[in-house]
Amino acid sequence: MSLNQEDKIKYLAKVAIFEGITGMELSHIAEHVEEINFAKNATIFKEGDCADCLFLLIKGRVKITKGADQDNIVGVLKEGDAFGELALFDEQPRSATITAIEEVTALLLRRDDFRGLIKKMPEIALPLLKLMARRLRVTTNVSTMLQA
């Protein structure tokens, strides 16, 4: 799969974290993303790896695992989902391992490019912050249930 600028814009519009972003803003974002492909069972990144980019899943599914036991699946993401978003905001290592369950095509957005974009268009950060807040709420709810 080789995506042109127009294809990238179409896929970005389908990704939940860019919901509500205008076509012009998506066009600017599309200029900074690169297409990347992974084979089935490929490790996209490991917990503890250096983190400097966000992945936008446009084809395939990935599993999220934590800890040394790769059978400890904490989630599965599909087309339209994003992962690695924490890397856009801090320089901390990856917090989980991501592995392709099937062939995967993703768009990669590097931290430096994202930061440049939000300086020009700060409104593009809001959907991503909403995603992070939702994930934090889920984590908080699970933690509260485990403590009860």
mmCIF file of all heavy atoms in Angstrom, residues 97-125:
data_model
loop_
_atom_site.group_PDB
_atom_site.id
_atom_site.type_symbol
_atom_site.label_atom_id
_atom_site.label_comp_id
_atom_site.label_asym_id
_atom_site.label_seq_id
_atom_site.Cartn_x
_atom_site.Cartn_y
_atom_site.Cartn_z
ATOM 1 N N THR A 97 4.209 -2.949 25.157
ATOM 2 C CA THR A 97 4.686 -3.550 23.916
ATOM 3 C C THR A 97 3.509 -3.640 22.948
ATOM 4 O O THR A 97 2.400 -3.996 23.349
ATOM 5 C CB THR A 97 5.264 -4.958 24.185
ATOM 6 O OG1 THR A 97 6.399 -4.817 25.052
ATOM 7 C CG2 THR A 97 5.683 -5.656 22.897
ATOM 8 N N ILE A 98 3.753 -3.305 21.689
ATOM 9 C CA ILE A 98 2.731 -3.381 20.651
ATOM 10 C C ILE A 98 3.206 -4.385 19.594
ATOM 11 O O ILE A 98 4.321 -4.260 19.069
ATOM 12 C CB ILE A 98 2.487 -2.012 19.978
ATOM 13 C CG1 ILE A 98 2.084 -0.945 20.995
ATOM 14 C CG2 ILE A 98 1.463 -2.142 18.853
ATOM 15 C CD1 ILE A 98 0.694 -1.081 21.549
ATOM 16 N N THR A 99 2.341 -5.366 19.299
ATOM 17 C CA THR A 99 2.666 -6.416 18.333
ATOM 18 C C THR A 99 1.545 -6.526 17.305
ATOM 19 O O THR A 99 0.364 -6.510 17.675
ATOM 20 C CB THR A 99 2.832 -7.775 19.055
ATOM 21 O OG1 THR A 99 3.789 -7.625 20.116
ATOM 22 C CG2 THR A 99 3.311 -8.860 18.098
ATOM 23 N N ALA A 100 1.913 -6.669 16.041
ATOM 24 C CA ALA A 100 0.926 -6.826 14.973
ATOM 25 C C ALA A 100 0.275 -8.207 15.075
ATOM 26 O O ALA A 100 0.969 -9.219 15.117
ATOM 27 C CB ALA A 100 1.597 -6.664 13.611
ATOM 28 N N ILE A 101 -1.051 -8.243 15.134
ATOM 29 C CA ILE A 101 -1.799 -9.505 15.144
ATOM 30 C C ILE A 101 -1.947 -10.011 13.711
ATOM 31 O O ILE A 101 -2.038 -11.204 13.459
ATOM 32 C CB ILE A 101 -3.198 -9.307 15.780
ATOM 33 C CG1 ILE A 101 -3.061 -8.905 17.241
ATOM 34 C CG2 ILE A 101 -4.052 -10.559 15.626
ATOM 35 C CD1 ILE A 101 -4.386 -8.529 17.899
ATOM 36 N N GLU A 102 -1.982 -9.081 12.773
ATOM 37 C CA GLU A 102 -2.073 -9.377 11.342
ATOM 38 C C GLU A 102 -1.252 -8.316 10.627
ATOM 39 O O GLU A 102 -0.650 -7.456 11.289
ATOM 40 C CB GLU A 102 -3.543 -9.368 10.897
ATOM 41 C CG GLU A 102 -4.280 -8.097 11.257
ATOM 42 C CD GLU A 102 -5.807 -8.244 11.265
ATOM 43 O OE1 GLU A 102 -6.294 -9.323 11.619
ATOM 44 O OE2 GLU A 102 -6.476 -7.267 10.931
ATOM 45 N N GLU A 103 -1.172 -8.377 9.311
ATOM 46 C CA GLU A 103 -0.434 -7.343 8.591
ATOM 47 C C GLU A 103 -1.005 -5.976 8.953
ATOM 48 O O GLU A 103 -2.220 -5.801 9.010
ATOM 49 C CB GLU A 103 -0.519 -7.563 7.083
ATOM 50 C CG GLU A 103 0.332 -8.698 6.598
ATOM 51 C CD GLU A 103 0.392 -8.787 5.084
ATOM 52 O OE1 GLU A 103 -0.184 -7.924 4.382
ATOM 53 O OE2 GLU A 103 1.037 -9.731 4.602
ATOM 54 N N VAL A 104 -0.117 -5.022 9.187
ATOM 55 C CA VAL A 104 -0.513 -3.693 9.660
ATOM 56 C C VAL A 104 0.058 -2.620 8.745
ATOM 57 O O VAL A 104 1.214 -2.701 8.325
ATOM 58 C CB VAL A 104 -0.010 -3.468 11.113
ATOM 59 C CG1 VAL A 104 -0.047 -2.004 11.501
ATOM 60 C CG2 VAL A 104 -0.803 -4.309 12.091
ATOM 61 N N THR A 105 -0.779 -1.633 8.459
ATOM 62 C CA THR A 105 -0.328 -0.396 7.829
ATOM 63 C C THR A 105 -0.702 0.730 8.779
ATOM 64 O O THR A 105 -1.828 0.776 9.283
ATOM 65 C CB THR A 105 -0.992 -0.169 6.455
ATOM 66 O OG1 THR A 105 -0.675 -1.267 5.602
ATOM 67 C CG2 THR A 105 -0.499 1.121 5.814
ATOM 68 N N ALA A 106 0.259 1.587 9.041
ATOM 69 C CA ALA A 106 0.022 2.702 9.960
ATOM 70 C C ALA A 106 0.628 3.969 9.382
ATOM 71 O O ALA A 106 1.487 3.923 8.502
ATOM 72 C CB ALA A 106 0.637 2.394 11.324
ATOM 73 N N LEU A 107 0.136 5.078 9.893
ATOM 74 C CA LEU A 107 0.761 6.363 9.614
ATOM 75 C C LEU A 107 1.511 6.765 10.873
ATOM 76 O O LEU A 107 0.984 6.655 11.979
ATOM 77 C CB LEU A 107 -0.292 7.418 9.256
ATOM 78 C CG LEU A 107 -1.052 7.172 7.965
ATOM 79 C CD1 LEU A 107 -2.143 8.226 7.779
ATOM 80 C CD2 LEU A 107 -0.122 7.147 6.767
ATOM 81 N N LEU A 108 2.727 7.202 10.697
ATOM 82 C CA LEU A 108 3.598 7.559 11.816
ATOM 83 C C LEU A 108 3.738 9.078 11.856
ATOM 84 O O LEU A 108 3.994 9.708 10.828
ATOM 85 C CB LEU A 108 4.954 6.892 11.567
ATOM 86 C CG LEU A 108 6.051 7.073 12.578
ATOM 87 C CD1 LEU A 108 6.869 5.784 12.640
ATOM 88 C CD2 LEU A 108 6.942 8.229 12.225
ATOM 89 N N LEU A 109 3.532 9.658 13.030
ATOM 90 C CA LEU A 109 3.690 11.098 13.231
ATOM 91 C C LEU A 109 4.739 11.305 14.313
ATOM 92 O O LEU A 109 4.554 10.880 15.461
ATOM 93 C CB LEU A 109 2.359 11.744 13.638
ATOM 94 C CG LEU A 109 2.375 13.244 13.919
ATOM 95 C CD1 LEU A 109 2.845 14.044 12.696
ATOM 96 C CD2 LEU A 109 1.001 13.720 14.377
ATOM 97 N N ARG A 110 5.840 11.916 13.961
ATOM 98 C CA ARG A 110 6.948 12.123 14.904
ATOM 99 C C ARG A 110 6.658 13.288 15.857
ATOM 100 O O ARG A 110 5.958 14.221 15.509
ATOM 101 C CB ARG A 110 8.242 12.372 14.151
ATOM 102 C CG ARG A 110 8.624 11.184 13.294
ATOM 103 C CD ARG A 110 10.052 11.237 12.799
ATOM 104 N NE ARG A 110 10.294 10.109 11.919
ATOM 105 C CZ ARG A 110 10.533 8.865 12.320
ATOM 106 N NH1 ARG A 110 10.574 8.601 13.602
ATOM 107 N NH2 ARG A 110 10.733 7.893 11.448
ATOM 108 N N ARG A 111 7.218 13.172 17.055
ATOM 109 C CA ARG A 111 7.011 14.171 18.108
ATOM 110 C C ARG A 111 7.359 15.575 17.633
ATOM 111 O O ARG A 111 6.583 16.519 17.819
ATOM 112 C CB ARG A 111 7.854 13.830 19.341
ATOM 113 C CG ARG A 111 7.735 14.871 20.448
ATOM 114 C CD ARG A 111 8.745 14.703 21.591
ATOM 115 N NE ARG A 111 8.715 13.370 22.143
ATOM 116 C CZ ARG A 111 9.786 12.587 22.252
ATOM 117 N NH1 ARG A 111 10.967 13.001 21.824
ATOM 118 N NH2 ARG A 111 9.681 11.390 22.786
ATOM 119 N N ASP A 112 8.519 15.746 17.021
ATOM 120 C CA ASP A 112 8.943 17.086 16.596
ATOM 121 C C ASP A 112 7.991 17.683 15.562
ATOM 122 O O ASP A 112 7.695 18.875 15.596
ATOM 123 C CB ASP A 112 10.368 17.049 16.037
ATOM 124 C CG ASP A 112 11.403 16.761 17.120
ATOM 125 O OD1 ASP A 112 11.097 16.932 18.326
ATOM 126 O OD2 ASP A 112 12.536 16.363 16.760
ATOM 127 N N ASP A 113 7.492 16.840 14.656
ATOM 128 C CA ASP A 113 6.527 17.318 13.662
ATOM 129 C C ASP A 113 5.215 17.714 14.337
ATOM 130 O O ASP A 113 4.626 18.752 14.018
ATOM 131 C CB ASP A 113 6.264 16.250 12.597
ATOM 132 C CG ASP A 113 7.466 16.040 11.687
ATOM 133 O OD1 ASP A 113 8.238 16.985 11.477
ATOM 134 O OD2 ASP A 113 7.628 14.906 11.188
ATOM 135 N N PHE A 114 4.751 16.876 15.272
ATOM 136 C CA PHE A 114 3.508 17.172 15.988
ATOM 137 C C PHE A 114 3.631 18.481 16.761
ATOM 138 O O PHE A 114 2.730 19.333 16.715
ATOM 139 C CB PHE A 114 3.144 16.026 16.937
ATOM 140 C CG PHE A 114 1.900 16.295 17.737
ATOM 141 C CD1 PHE A 114 0.644 16.225 17.155
ATOM 142 C CD2 PHE A 114 1.984 16.624 19.086
ATOM 143 C CE1 PHE A 114 -0.498 16.473 17.889
ATOM 144 C CE2 PHE A 114 0.841 16.873 19.833
ATOM 145 C CZ PHE A 114 -0.402 16.798 19.231
ATOM 146 N N ARG A 115 4.731 18.670 17.446
ATOM 147 C CA ARG A 115 4.921 19.895 18.223
ATOM 148 C C ARG A 115 4.947 21.124 17.321
ATOM 149 O O ARG A 115 4.410 22.172 17.669
ATOM 150 C CB ARG A 115 6.178 19.788 19.082
ATOM 151 C CG ARG A 115 5.995 18.826 20.230
ATOM 152 C CD ARG A 115 7.213 18.706 21.090
ATOM 153 N NE ARG A 115 6.957 17.831 22.232
ATOM 154 C CZ ARG A 115 7.876 17.483 23.106
ATOM 155 N NH1 ARG A 115 9.110 17.939 22.997
ATOM 156 N NH2 ARG A 115 7.565 16.690 24.111
ATOM 157 N N GLY A 116 5.545 20.990 16.155
ATOM 158 C CA GLY A 116 5.531 22.090 15.184
ATOM 159 C C GLY A 116 4.118 22.397 14.708
ATOM 160 O O GLY A 116 3.733 23.563 14.576
ATOM 161 N N LEU A 117 3.336 21.327 14.478
ATOM 162 C CA LEU A 117 1.954 21.509 14.034
ATOM 163 C C LEU A 117 1.096 22.188 15.107
ATOM 164 O O LEU A 117 0.291 23.064 14.791
ATOM 165 C CB LEU A 117 1.338 20.161 13.654
ATOM 166 C CG LEU A 117 1.809 19.557 12.340
ATOM 167 C CD1 LEU A 117 1.424 18.087 12.247
ATOM 168 C CD2 LEU A 117 1.243 20.339 11.162
ATOM 169 N N ILE A 118 1.261 21.788 16.385
ATOM 170 C CA ILE A 118 0.399 22.393 17.402
ATOM 171 C C ILE A 118 0.801 23.840 17.706
ATOM 172 O O ILE A 118 -0.020 24.602 18.194
ATOM 173 C CB ILE A 118 0.278 21.565 18.707
ATOM 174 C CG1 ILE A 118 1.605 21.371 19.386
ATOM 175 C CG2 ILE A 118 -0.429 20.268 18.464
ATOM 176 C CD1 ILE A 118 1.504 20.710 20.757
ATOM 177 N N LYS A 119 2.018 24.212 17.383
ATOM 178 C CA LYS A 119 2.387 25.628 17.513
ATOM 179 C C LYS A 119 1.619 26.462 16.489
ATOM 180 O O LYS A 119 1.214 27.587 16.780
ATOM 181 C CB LYS A 119 3.901 25.810 17.333
ATOM 182 C CG LYS A 119 4.699 25.362 18.534
ATOM 183 C CD LYS A 119 6.181 25.545 18.308
ATOM 184 C CE LYS A 119 6.951 25.014 19.516
ATOM 185 N NZ LYS A 119 8.405 25.064 19.302
ATOM 186 N N LYS A 120 1.425 25.901 15.295
ATOM 187 C CA LYS A 120 0.705 26.603 14.235
ATOM 188 C C LYS A 120 -0.804 26.462 14.377
ATOM 189 O O LYS A 120 -1.551 27.370 14.033
ATOM 190 C CB LYS A 120 1.123 26.064 12.860
ATOM 191 C CG LYS A 120 2.552 26.336 12.489
ATOM 192 C CD LYS A 120 2.890 25.688 11.152
ATOM 193 C CE LYS A 120 4.373 25.796 10.869
ATOM 194 N NZ LYS A 120 4.770 24.999 9.715
ATOM 195 N N MET A 121 -1.254 25.282 14.848
ATOM 196 C CA MET A 121 -2.689 24.973 14.941
ATOM 197 C C MET A 121 -2.966 24.285 16.276
ATOM 198 O O MET A 121 -3.137 23.067 16.326
ATOM 199 C CB MET A 121 -3.112 24.044 13.790
ATOM 200 C CG MET A 121 -2.830 24.580 12.410
ATOM 201 S SD MET A 121 -3.230 23.368 11.107
ATOM 202 C CE MET A 121 -2.093 22.050 11.439
ATOM 203 N N PRO A 122 -3.006 25.028 17.360
ATOM 204 C CA PRO A 122 -3.160 24.402 18.679
ATOM 205 C C PRO A 122 -4.432 23.558 18.827
ATOM 206 O O PRO A 122 -4.456 22.621 19.617
ATOM 207 C CB PRO A 122 -3.168 25.581 19.655
ATOM 208 C CG PRO A 122 -3.080 26.810 18.862
ATOM 209 C CD PRO A 122 -2.886 26.471 17.433
ATOM 210 N N GLU A 123 -5.446 23.850 18.050
ATOM 211 C CA GLU A 123 -6.711 23.118 18.159
ATOM 212 C C GLU A 123 -6.577 21.637 17.810
ATOM 213 O O GLU A 123 -7.393 20.820 18.230
ATOM 214 C CB GLU A 123 -7.800 23.768 17.298
ATOM 215 C CG GLU A 123 -7.505 23.850 15.819
ATOM 216 C CD GLU A 123 -6.603 25.002 15.382
ATOM 217 O OE1 GLU A 123 -6.097 25.756 16.231
ATOM 218 O OE2 GLU A 123 -6.393 25.136 14.166
ATOM 219 N N ILE A 124 -5.525 21.245 17.086
ATOM 220 C CA ILE A 124 -5.379 19.831 16.733
ATOM 221 C C ILE A 124 -4.986 18.981 17.942
ATOM 222 O O ILE A 124 -5.119 17.767 17.906
ATOM 223 C CB ILE A 124 -4.387 19.599 15.574
ATOM 224 C CG1 ILE A 124 -2.957 19.902 15.992
ATOM 225 C CG2 ILE A 124 -4.818 20.363 14.332
ATOM 226 C CD1 ILE A 124 -1.917 19.404 15.008
ATOM 227 N N ALA A 125 -4.522 19.616 19.012
ATOM 228 C CA ALA A 125 -4.132 18.867 20.210
ATOM 229 C C ALA A 125 -5.341 18.412 21.023
ATOM 230 O O ALA A 125 -5.257 17.420 21.751
ATOM 231 C CB ALA A 125 -3.203 19.703 21.084
#
